[in-house]
Each structure stands twice: as structure tokens, then as C-alpha cells.
């Protein structure tokens, strides 16, 4: 009799337990490449998505933002490992190094923690949704615009960003591919800024000093073009050295308004953060998600900013 009563009680309480589980808080951890204004924009989008999902589902959904101070893969892996130990409902990552991040990502897989990547590409063979722009298209658009600005001839340079970062490396390859189409364009230098505006400014200044006939610049990250623009202004080469940048940082937009930089092929960081959270939530709910979510590219010019 007692067993029967317990069984009946269990049956009656099961829907309540399921209902309680359905309304339990959900927590995601978002880990970008580094502390950076671009990632602040992505985090804003992520927080907007969490607020919308909380309102729509009636359960508390939060995104913890944990950014490495610098673009260092060991530091990033430590943050990811600490996040795994807290057993979040999902990880949202921007990879610094496909190979360097793979082992710690496999730990998350082993712990059955869903992952989504944004502004990046997943390691080969890992079934992870990627949210972001078409990085090759973005780099190619910038390189083609620069080629046209310099009449398809002259010396150019590329600021590489973080060379191990999948998105930065892909942009660089595609920019180089564009320049090889034009026999009168020569890539004479590459800089590595590791997502630092200050480093980009110093390297751009040194490269322009070493190559006084440099005609133009493209970059592979969001920090690089800001530093390049500052170096062009400080070197008094506005109008002499052309630049087509990437992304929509406030400093980048001001450089375009001031006529220091021609334009920018910009991804949409707020949208990337937003859809990365939506995809992470879907995975946590056991739903299938697409392999890629393309958030598009904006071409920003002085004319478009004046509208």
C-alpha cells in the first residue's frame, strides 16, 4: 500500500517537477578574444538576446561575459576551463587559435556542455554552430576597394591582427588573393597587432617609414585599421596613403568622417552577439541549429555616415 501511494505521489508530482525544471534559470558564458570595444558591442547584443528570451520564456536567462585582458590563447583557455567547471548551459566562444583552443573545447564536449562560436570558425570536424560574417567576403571587399582607390597599382600592406585567429587568418588569405589578381600591386609588408590599437599604430608607423612609397592599407581585425588611421594622420600622409578598414568601432567611424580612412567593410558585432545567444539557447533546449548564421557585412563610407 505504501509503495502504491509513493508511486501515485510520484506520478502526480512529475508534471510539477517538469514544470519547475522548464522554468529553472539558464546561464551561458560568453568568452571573446580579448577586452576590446568590438566585443563590448557583441556583448551588448548578447545581453539584448538574453533579455528577450527571459521575457518570452518566463525564465531567467543570463549571459556572463568573461573577456581575457589580452589576446593570449593560454589565458583564454584558462577562462574557458573555469567556465566549464561551473557547468553552464552553454559556452559562446570567439577562438584565438583553432588548434590551441581545440583541446579545451573537447573537454566541454566531454562534459556535454553545448558550444557556439561567434566571429570565428569552429575547429575542423567539430559540430558547432558558427555565427558571423563571411570573413573571406569581408576581406575581399576591403582589398578590392583599396585596389580601386590606388588605380590597381602600387605598394600595399596588410595588418594581420592575431594570425592564429581563424577569422583573421582567412581575411588575410582572401586579401592576398585579391591583390595577386593585379600584377602592378605588390604587398611589401605585413604587421601583427594582436588586436591592439596601440600596437597597430606603432607597427603601421614603422612600416610606412620603411616603405615611403606605400600606397595603401587593409587590415584583418577591428583594432588594426584604427591604429593604421592614427599612424597615417600622425605621419601626415592623409590623402597620400589610402586605407580601407574593417568594422564599426567609434574611432573607425570618426577616421572615415575626418577623411583619414576611405571606408570600412564592417561586420555587425551586436547582431553576432545576439544570434550567438539565440543559437546557444536553442542548443541548450535540445534543438538543432544551423551550421552557419551569416550576419552580413556593411560598407561604411563618409557618404553613408552623413545620411
Amino acid at each position: 500500500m505504501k509503495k502504491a501511494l509513493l508511486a501515485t505521489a510520484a506520478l502526480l508530482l512529475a508534471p510539477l517537477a517538469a514544470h519547475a525544471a522548464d522554468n529553472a534559470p539558464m546561464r551561458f558564458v560568453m568568452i571573446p578574444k580579448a577586452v576590446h570595444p568590438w566585443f563590448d558591442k557583441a556583448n551588448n547584443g548578447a545581453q539584448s538576446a538574453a533579455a528577450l528570451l527571459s521575457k518570452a520564456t518566463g525564465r531567467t536567462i543570463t549571459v556572463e561575459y568573461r573577456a581575457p585582458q589580452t589576446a593570449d590563447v593560454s589565458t583564454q583557455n584558462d577562462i574557458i576551463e573555469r567556465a566549464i567547471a561551473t557547468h553552464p548551459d552553454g559556452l559562446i566562444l570567439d577562438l584565438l587559435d583553432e588548434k590551441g583552443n581545440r583541446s579545451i573545447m573537447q573537454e566541454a564536449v566531454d562534459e556535454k556542455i553545448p558550444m557556439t562560436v561567434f566571429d570565428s570558425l569552429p575547429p575542423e570536424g567539430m559540430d558547432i554552430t558558427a555565427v558571423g560574417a563571411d570573413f573571406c567576403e569581408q576581406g575581399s571587399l576591403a582589398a578590392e576597394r583599396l585596389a580601386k582607390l590606388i588605380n590597381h597599382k602600387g605598394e600595399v600592406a596588410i595588418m594581420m591582427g592575431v594570425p592564429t585567429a581563424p577569422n583573421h587568418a582567412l581575411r588575410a588569405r582572401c586579401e592576398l588573393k585579391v591583390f595577386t589578381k593585379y600584377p602592378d600591386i605588390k604587398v611589401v609588408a605585413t604587421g601583427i597587432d594582436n588586436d591592439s590599437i596601440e600596437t597597430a599604430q606603432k607597427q603601421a608607423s614603422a612600416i610606412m617609414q620603411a616603405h615611403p612609397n606605400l600606397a595603401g592599407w587593409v587590415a584583418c581585425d577591428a583594432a588594426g585599421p584604427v591604429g593604421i588611421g592614427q599612424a597615417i594622420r600622425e605621419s601626415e600622409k592623409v590623402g597620400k596613403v589610402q586605407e580601407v578598414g574593417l568594422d564599426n568601432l567609434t574611432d573607425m567611424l570618426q577616421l572615415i568622417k575626418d577623411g583619414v580612412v576611405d571606408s570600412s567593410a564592417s561586420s555587425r558585432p551586436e547582431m553576432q552577439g545576439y544570434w550567438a545567444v539565440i543559437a546557444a539557447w536553442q542548443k541548450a533546449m535540445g534543438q538543432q541549429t544551423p551550421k552557419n548564421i551569416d550576419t552580413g557585412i556593411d560598407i561604411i563610407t563618409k557618404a553613408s555616415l552623413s545620411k
Side-chain angles (χ1 to χ4, degrees):
M1 182 68 174
K2 186 176 181 181
K3 288 183 179 180
L5 288 171
L6 289 172
T8 302
L11 287 171
L12 291 171
L13 290 172
L16 295 175
H19 180 74
D22 287 345
N23 286 280
M26 297 184 74
R27 180 176 59 87
F28 300 93
V29 180
M30 183 178 192
I31 303 171
K33 289 186 177 78
V35 171
H36 194 289
W38 192 94
F39 295 118
D40 291 341
K41 289 174 176 279
N43 183 36
N44 289 340
Q47 300 303 329
S48 294
L52 179 140
L53 288 171
S54 295
K55 185 176 180 180
T57 63
R59 66 195 301 180
T60 302
I61 295 172
T62 58
V63 177
E64 295 178 7
Y65 183 69
R66 304 184 184 181
Q69 286 298 313
T70 58
D72 177 75
V73 68
S74 296
T75 302
Q76 188 185 45
N77 281 342
D78 287 343
I79 294 172
I80 296 171
E81 188 167 33
R82 289 198 297 272
I84 290 171
T86 68
H87 298 285
D89 293 285
L91 290 172
I92 302 167
L93 310 174
D94 186 355
L95 308 186
L96 270 167
D97 186 328
E98 178 183 353
K99 294 179 181 178
N101 290 125
R102 188 183 187 106
S103 178
I104 194 68
M105 292 174 73
Q106 187 58 50
E107 285 187 32
V109 171
D110 294 342
E111 292 289 331
K112 302 190 183 326
I113 298 172
M115 283 177 290
T116 302
V117 299
F118 73 103
D119 186 46
S120 187
L121 297 169
E124 188 175 351
M126 296 190 83
D127 184 20
I128 298 173
T129 294
V131 179
D134 182 324
F135 306 119
C136 186
E137 179 186 10
Q138 188 181 13
S140 298
L141 284 170
E144 288 286 5
R145 287 184 68 86
L146 179 63
K148 186 176 180 180
L149 280 171
I150 64 174
N151 296 314
H152 303 98
K153 61 184 178 182
E155 298 179 352
V156 299
I158 300 174
M159 191 65 72
M160 304 288 286
V162 182
T164 58
N167 57 335
H168 297 183
L170 181 55
R171 287 180 186 129
R173 290 197 300 271
C174 293
E175 288 165 353
L176 283 168
K177 187 175 180 180
V178 167
F179 293 140
T180 59
K181 290 165 47 179
Y182 304 107
D184 293 330
I185 291 179
K186 182 180 180 182
V187 178
V188 295
T190 56
I192 296 173
D193 61 57
N194 286 316
D195 252 336
S196 164
I197 292 173
E198 182 181 1
T199 302
Q201 185 272 330
K202 290 178 180 177
Q203 293 214 3
S205 293
I207 287 170
M208 286 189 291
Q209 187 172 2
H211 299 275
N213 295 321
L214 191 74
W217 279 98
V218 290
C220 302
D221 63 334
V226 175
I228 293 166
Q230 292 173 348
I232 289 172
R233 197 197 312 257
E234 291 167 6
S235 301
E236 298 183 349
K237 293 194 174 184
V238 176
K240 299 175 184 177
V241 177
Q242 302 292 336
E243 181 191 351
V244 178
L246 294 181
D247 292 318
N248 62 350
L249 297 187
T250 301
D251 288 345
M252 180 85 266
L253 302 184
Q254 191 61 52
L255 287 166
I256 294 172
K257 290 177 182 178
D258 293 344
V260 177
V261 176
D262 172 76
S263 55
S264 181
S266 176
S267 60
R268 298 164 177 165
E270 295 91 347
M271 194 180 293
Q272 288 195 37
Y274 182 93
W275 284 104
V277 171
I278 297 295
W281 171 74
Q282 287 180 307
K283 279 182 177 263
M285 297 298 291
Q287 302 298 311
Q288 287 188 327
T289 57
K291 184 178 178 63
N292 295 292
I293 299 175
D294 189 340
T295 49
I297 300 164
D298 295 320
I299 300 299
I300 301 173
T301 64
K302 191 172 185 177
S304 71
L305 289 173
S306 65
K307 292 180 180 178

